[in-house]
Amino acid sequence: MTLREVKEILEAEVLACEDLLDREPRSACGSDLLSDVLAFTKEQSLLLTGLTNPQVIRTAEMSDLIGVVFVRGKRPEPATVELAVMKKIPLLATRLPMYEACGRLYMRGLKGCSEVE
Amino acid sequence: MTDERPLIELERKIAGGDFQSAGDVSSELKRILQQVGFPPPFSRRVVIAAYEAEMNVVIHAWRGIFRAWIFPNRVHIEVDDEGPGIPDLELAFQEGYSTAPPHIREMGFGAGYGLSNMKKCSDRLEIDTRVGEGTKVIMDFFLNPS
């Protein structure tokens, strides 16, 4: 599944790096704890989160994540979008709450981080 | 440390409480490791551990110095801070235990996985801490751990 398909499935808006939506996440993680993302997420994953501060992008950068989806209608700070553009990390925003956003992607076959080697 | 000469040495200051710049040092380290040509999984574990250590200084300490020595087959990192120190190291290593204040938790940090994650990502972790003075974190990463 590409990030472009993620955008359609989540009826999401693209906030940064529209040119990188051909990327294909190997797995996904839904969390509002960056500590958990750093400890448990695999590389090439997609992060779904309600957090919007720039440290989300830093965490994505260090963990080699390939995109971030902000859930439940959250909008990031301008500094977050600027950093994402600089680090080439696509940002999407959906009105769906975390559980439903994760559920839709999981039903369409996007695995969780514990399911990929 | 041995007589072996590092390819690159990096030394940067970290300011406690400066969330604007938090992560800049680890980001620079990541760029260097990529340029040297380390495999992505190796660089990833070095950078995640470095970022955890850098964030610990920003969150808990007043100031710190981050030093990295990059060799062809290994990376050595030392993060030395002036700060409150860790009163109970064993407790601090317990997953889920954290002393981070609420505003840090609102940012998504302070879940209590920092030290255990640094241990998981590194091949050797040593912590020297003195209450009221500061903490020194020493980590080694080997490209081919034996």
Side-chain angles (χ1 to χ4, degrees), chain A residues 14-89:
Chain A
V14 183
L15 305 178
C17 305
E18 185 135 30
D19 54 320
L20 298 175
L21 296 188
D22 289 330
R23 288 182 177 178
E24 288 186 42
R26 293 178 65 210
S27 57
C29 160
S31 181
D32 284 351
L33 280 174
L34 296 177
S35 306
D36 279 5
V37 176
L38 283 167
F40 304 115
T41 306
K42 296 270 169 50
E43 67 275 12
Q44 308 299 311
S45 285
L46 176 69
L47 171 65
L48 295 96
T49 185
L51 291 171
T52 54
N53 63 66
Q55 294 307 322
V56 173
I57 308 305
R58 286 298 192 195
T59 299
E61 179 192 3
M62 306 311 163
S63 305
D64 290 337
L65 306 186
I66 65 163
V68 176
V69 180
F70 299 109
V71 297
R72 48 180 191 268
K74 296 273 180 138
R75 309 298 297 205
E77 303 163 22
T80 304
V81 179
E82 274 171 39
L83 191 60
V85 170
M86 207 159 79
K87 299 297 172 187
K88 297 189 170 57
I89 296 172

